Amino acid sequence: MALIPTLAAIFMACTFMGSHNSVTAQLAFGFYSSTCPKAEQIVSSVVQQSVQANSRMAAILLRLHFHDCFVQGCDGSILIEGDKAEKHAFGHQGVQGFDVIETAKAQLESECRGVVSCADIVAMAARDAVALSGGPVYQVQTGRRDGLTSTTSSADDMPEVTESIQQLKNKFIQKGLSVKDFVLLSAAHTIGTTACFFMTNRLYNFPDGTSDPTINPAFLPELEATCPKDGDVNVRLAADRESELKFDDSILRNIRNGFAVLESDAKLYTDAETKSVVDSYVSPLNFLTGPNFGADFAESMVNMGMIDVKTGLQGQIRRVCSAFN
């Protein structure tokens, strides 16, 4: 989940609301088992090769799934190319991984033409990216159709890193997700990087020429050294201090201890409700009585993957992911 400069930008089934329930019955584990038996194997192979070639690709694919789902549902609308297409929205700046999805799609079209949706490829790729980073191995339901629209304006209401914690919670709740999902999906920042461009306000103008007081004093000089005032804004730093390539719960410990890099992550420890969720995973007694971070993260990923899913006549199976049929 890299959110730069939005929660959507970094990057992020138990709490389904409304339309989620109606699509749950139409999606299925192993949806392509008879129509394209090698579908998941093909996607996994492409993702593995991509991550081996570029260690950052796991975080990139995880972020792509979040961005796709959080606008008009998990329908591959972010993959469409065009000047006014969704992928060029301000909230999606820096999103990558499109070539990996197209590579998988090309191989799938060769294996079983017109069967596997681009939306499903994105969901499966994110799942595989998490596993390749040392995260939980989990299944995703498939059977999504690709969306029929894609506009920059559709992404106008993405969560923004500078919004209040209540605004952020509300945006996730409006998508049918819980506050627990919000915290866990934010913890996707355990892998990936952000740019100094998006640290400037937090370090030097929060709000008036000061730094964010939630930053641990021992961490502030490190951030300032990496992202000096008037320095190169394109320099990148780990979104999870000292753990950018490994999926683990260190992001939550860093949030608790004032070592959160992103402002939106730090805010998770300023609200009683979200703080309680963070603490439930990092308390000293967690290994005895607490919840399992990996298992719960996987559940939240499945929940997110069900946002406003298109099925049946609501969508199509694109021939290429970057264009409508």
Side-chain angles (χ1 to χ4, degrees), residues 111-137:
E111 178 73 18
C112 38
R113 186 174 302 276
V115 174
V116 182
S117 70
C118 299
D120 275 343
I121 297 172
V122 173
M124 289 187 284
R127 172 203 60 193
D128 296 336
V130 170
L132 288 169
S133 301
V137 176

Side-chain angles (χ1 to χ4, degrees), residues 69-300:
C69 290
F70 223 86
V71 176
Q72 56 185 40
C74 309
D75 66 350
S77 57
I78 195 173
L79 305 174
I80 294 294
E81 190 52 81
D83 292 342
K84 296 182 180 180
E86 181 192 319
K87 71 188 302 181
H88 299 296
F90 178 79
H92 290 327
Q93 59 186 311
V95 174
Q96 302 172 48
F98 304 105
D99 55 333
V100 176
I101 305 303
E102 288 289 8
T103 297
K105 178 62 172 175
Q107 292 188 20
L108 287 164
E109 286 296 292
S110 177
E111 178 73 18
C112 38
R113 186 174 302 276
V115 174
V116 182
S117 70
C118 299
D120 275 343
I121 297 172
V122 173
M124 289 187 284
R127 172 203 60 193
D128 296 336
V130 170
L132 288 169
S133 301
V137 176
Y138 62 97
Q139 291 184 306
V140 294
Q141 291 176 302
T142 45
R144 298 167 183 79
R145 306 278 286 186
D146 295 321
L148 302 174
T149 62
S150 179
T151 62
T152 53
S153 60
S154 64
D156 286 347
D157 200 32
M158 296 296 289
E160 297 183 2
V161 72
T162 56
E163 290 179 316
S164 71
I165 188 65
Q166 191 58 52
Q167 288 175 308
L168 294 172
K169 287 197 297 183
N170 286 343
K171 287 191 173 183
F172 278 74
I173 291 170
Q174 288 165 6
K175 294 295 182 179
L177 300 171
S178 67
V179 170
K180 180 180 177 181
D181 289 326
F182 165 43
V183 174
L184 288 164
L185 293 171
S186 296
H189 303 153
T190 182
I191 56 174
T193 62
T194 187
C196 286
F197 177 82
F198 304 111
M199 298 298 296
T200 301
N201 284 344
R202 190 173 188 222
L203 293 177
Y204 305 108
N205 192 28
F206 194 91
D208 299 310
T210 60
S211 60
D212 182 349
T214 66
I215 300 174
N216 189 307
F219 188 36
L220 183 59
E222 182 180 325
L223 290 174
E224 291 174 334
T226 304
C227 301
K229 192 173 185 180
D230 302 321
D232 183 356
V233 297
N234 295 310
V235 170
R236 301 195 70 82
L237 66 161
D240 184 15
R241 182 175 180 258
E242 301 180 347
S243 184
E244 67 180 271
L245 298 177
K246 181 181 179 182
F247 185 98
D248 54 27
D249 65 2
S250 66
I251 182 71
L252 299 177
R253 300 179 191 281
N254 280 335
I255 289 170
R256 177 193 62 185
N257 296 331
F259 289 90
V261 173
L262 294 167
E263 181 181 339
S264 55
D265 287 348
K267 287 174 180 174
L268 295 176
Y269 218 61
T270 64
D271 172 82
E273 191 173 17
T274 53
K275 178 179 182 293
S276 176
V277 177
V278 172
D279 284 339
S280 71
Y281 294 102
V282 297
S283 69
L285 296 178
N286 172 266
F287 72 100
L288 291 176
T289 61
N292 183 286
F293 171 64
D296 287 356
F297 176 84
E299 184 177 324
S300 289

